[in-house]
Amino acid sequence: MGTAGAEGSGRRRPGRPTRPPLTEDAIARAALQLIDESGWAACTMSRLAHRLGVRAPSLYHHVSGQQEIVDLVRSLVVSEIHDPTLVGRPWPEAMYDFGVAYYRAFTNHPNVIQVLSTTPVRDAPTLQMYETFLQTLHAGGWEGARAFEALLGIEHLALGFAFEWNAEDLMLESAHAAGLGAPLLAEVTRGRTNQSDIAEASYLSLLRRYIEMFRVELSAE
Amino acid sequence: MGTAGAEGSGRRRPGRPTRPPLTEDAIARAALQLIDESGWAACTMSRLAHRLGVRAPSLYHHVSGQQEIVDLVRSLVVSEIHDPTLVGRPWPEAMYDFGVAYYRAFTNHPNVIQVLSTTPVRDAPTLQMYETFLQTLHAGGWEGARAFEALLGIEHLALGFAFEWNAEDLMLESAHAAGLGAPLLAEVTRGRTNQSDIAEASYLSLLRRYIEMFRVELSAE
DNA sequence: ACCTGAACACCGTTCAAGT
DNA sequence: ACCTGAACACCGTTCAAGT
């Protein structure tokens, strides 16, 4: 897998271990990894720097600040979604595949949802992904504003259910603590083990209906 | 009305103006107001205290910390949604009304979405609202886990579109900045004025289809 | 060119002290 | 009982030094 150990230096050097060079990309990957492991709140500049074998101020030689780190992380996640070959395929098919890829990327990285879903999009790769999606729908005869609306709808659905996919511990204790006051809620949350499967099934089903809804509307015009 | 000063203080008292007493409820309302005006990031303990005519540490005599303030704000917003008369009404109707009320509450307070959607539910009023919803579906013949899933789905949809309802400025500049690289995106974001209406129409339409989907599934069993 | 310690203005929270 | 200043451990960010 990673290039970390392989890169032409199998032999151990004397002296302190050389740390991998600090680059924008290395920072982005470390940030995503840190968020994946410990959540967004744990991704502070100093902790991120420490993980890279460096002090916090050093990061500012490679990125402009925390905001840019968010942009870089978004680009990284989007790279797992973006598929330029979408253009030219039938739009319902393309829309479904996009929706699934989007959902999968965020179930792979559930902890980034908190940051990315509440932060403006500013990075080129994400804007490019949007453009590709709009091109696909444009080729399918969609009007611009409507296509954009469909895009945002899919994003919200995917993010919501991907969040839920992982949200197991969000309200379980409180529901139990609520005890007598909310017996149905307490019972339901007690036995919830594989909500991941349910969330995924719900999402995929809803996505199909969402697409179907647009197909009907489009053909009615 | 009545005599010169109802509540005994129509007359101006000498000395510094008496500030309203500091209570849990006053703190909660001030916090919601502050978030509505300036966003969650602006709702720091010291700014909140300042608005209440007091210093930050004073707040800790009435609330346990920022986490409890979030709980109180959630309870406040939920009080605009919760309708105990839901139980006993036909579930599709009740579900639709719940979905609309939920959406409206968060378009009324778009800035709280960022906090509330990424924070565990711990307050009794919200748990009670969930319980009422589950009771309604239970009376309609729903199985517990499925009902919970439907509830979460509606929440995600409503939150997503309510966020979008207000997200006007989220990616507009960047889309323009993207310029030549993303012409379709740039064009679409240029003319978007009343996205509120579009978002609401999309949401309501999707909500209806969501309910219809469950009705079909339920009657097929 | 790039890393660093020290500094700055801010957080949330605690606590002994005042009244 | 309730408000306060001072303090603590943390933020993100800047910058003059160092090499």
Side-chain angles (χ1 to χ4, degrees):
Chain A
M1 35 184 289
T3 58
E7 57 174 26
S9 68
R11 217 178 315 233
R12 180 118 60 84
R13 299 273 210 76
R16 78 165 59 173
T18 60
R19 64 162 170 69
L22 206 52
T23 64
E24 207 176 63
D25 189 64
I27 293 173
R29 291 182 190 282
L32 177 55
Q33 195 180 333
L34 187 50
I35 298 172
D36 280 345
E37 289 171 14
S38 316
W40 164 243
C43 188
T44 69
M45 296 303 268
S46 54
R47 276 197 247 201
L48 180 54
H50 179 260
R51 171 169 296 222
L52 290 161
V54 108
R55 308 288 182 151
S58 306
L59 298 176
Y60 291 82
H61 284 101
H62 301 90
V63 296
S64 65
Q66 206 169 40
Q67 200 176 91
E68 188 182 345
I69 293 182
V70 172
D71 290 342
L72 292 171
V73 168
R74 194 194 308 274
S75 297
L76 226 44
V77 174
V78 159
S79 75
E80 298 184 16
I81 304 171
H82 187 38
D83 174 14
T85 72
L86 229 52
V87 187
R89 309 221 339 250
W91 73 258
E93 200 185 296
M95 192 182 261
Y96 183 79
D97 287 356
F98 175 82
V100 171
Y102 200 97
Y103 175 79
R104 293 253 181 272
F106 282 98
T107 52
N108 283 342
H109 307 285
N111 288 343
V112 304
I113 298 177
Q114 186 174 141
V115 219
L116 299 192
S117 71
T118 58
T119 275
V121 171
R122 284 199 268 70
D123 63 304
T126 303
L127 294 172
Q128 190 52 55
M129 179 184 73
Y130 290 160
E131 182 71 10
T132 297
F133 186 87
L134 293 180
Q135 279 173 17
T136 309
L137 264 55
H138 184 71
W142 282 60
E143 185 261 328
R146 177 77 60 88
F148 190 54
E149 204 60 37
L151 167 61
L152 294 177
I154 289 181
E155 283 194 278
H156 296 144
L157 282 176
L159 282 175
F161 281 92
F163 188 73
E164 176 186 336
W165 184 88
N166 173 261
E168 198 145 11
D169 46 338
L170 274 201
M171 78 181 74
L172 300 192
E173 343 69 79
S174 14
H176 291 168
L180 298 171
L184 286 178
L185 186 59
E187 185 212 328
V188 156
T189 53
R190 197 177 342 267
R192 276 170 70 76
T193 53
N194 52 355
Q195 72 178 358
S196 315
D197 302 342
I198 315 181
E200 179 158 328
S202 294
Y203 170 68
L204 293 178
S205 166
L206 195 54
L207 177 60
R208 271 188 231 100
R209 284 172 199 271
Y210 190 68
I211 295 170
E212 182 60 24
M213 171 175 96
F214 281 119
R215 178 151 43 197
V216 170
E217 284 179 15
L218 205 70
S219 62
E221 282 167 3
Chain B
M1 7 172 88
T3 57
E7 70 163 26
S9 70
R11 220 176 314 232
R12 181 117 63 81
R13 297 274 211 77
R16 76 166 59 174
T18 60
R19 64 162 171 73
L22 206 52
T23 65
E24 206 175 65
D25 189 65
I27 293 173
R29 291 182 190 282
L32 177 56
Q33 195 180 333
L34 188 49
I35 298 172
D36 281 345
E37 289 170 14
S38 316
W40 164 242
C43 187
T44 69
M45 296 303 268
S46 54
R47 276 197 247 201
L48 180 55
H50 180 259
R51 172 169 295 221
L52 291 161
V54 109
R55 308 287 183 153
S58 307
L59 298 176
Y60 290 82
H61 284 101
H62 301 90
V63 298
S64 65
Q66 206 169 40
Q67 200 177 91
E68 189 182 343
I69 293 182
V70 172
D71 291 343
L72 292 171
V73 168
R74 193 193 307 275
S75 298
L76 226 44
V77 173
V78 159
S79 75
E80 299 182 16
I81 305 171
H82 186 38
D83 173 15
T85 73
L86 229 52
V87 187
R89 308 217 343 247
W91 72 258
E93 199 184 299
M95 193 182 261
Y96 182 79
D97 287 356
F98 174 82
V100 171
Y102 199 98
Y103 175 79
R104 294 251 180 274
F106 283 99
T107 53
N108 283 342
H109 307 284
N111 289 342
V112 304
I113 297 177
Q114 185 174 140
V115 219
L116 299 192
S117 72
T118 58
T119 275
V121 171
R122 285 199 267 69
D123 62 304
T126 303
L127 294 172
Q128 191 52 56
M129 179 184 72
Y130 290 159
E131 182 71 9
T132 298
F133 186 88
L134 293 180
Q135 279 174 16
T136 308
L137 264 56
H138 184 70
W142 282 60
E143 184 261 331
R146 177 77 61 88
F148 191 54
E149 204 60 37
L151 167 61
L152 294 177
I154 289 181
E155 283 194 279
H156 296 144
L157 282 176
L159 283 175
F161 281 92
F163 188 73
E164 175 186 336
W165 184 88
N166 173 260
E168 197 144 10
D169 45 339
L170 274 200
M171 76 180 74
L172 301 192
E173 345 66 82
S174 14
H176 290 168
L180 298 172
L184 286 177
L185 185 59
E187 184 211 329
V188 156
T189 53
R190 197 177 341 268
R192 277 172 68 77
T193 53
N194 53 355
Q195 72 178 358
S196 314
D197 302 341
I198 315 182
E200 179 158 328
S202 294
Y203 170 68
L204 293 177
S205 166
L206 195 54
L207 176 61
R208 271 188 232 101
R209 285 172 199 272
Y210 190 69
I211 295 170
E212 182 60 24
M213 169 176 97
F214 280 118
R215 179 151 41 196
V216 169
E217 284 179 16
L218 205 71
S219 62
E221 282 166 5

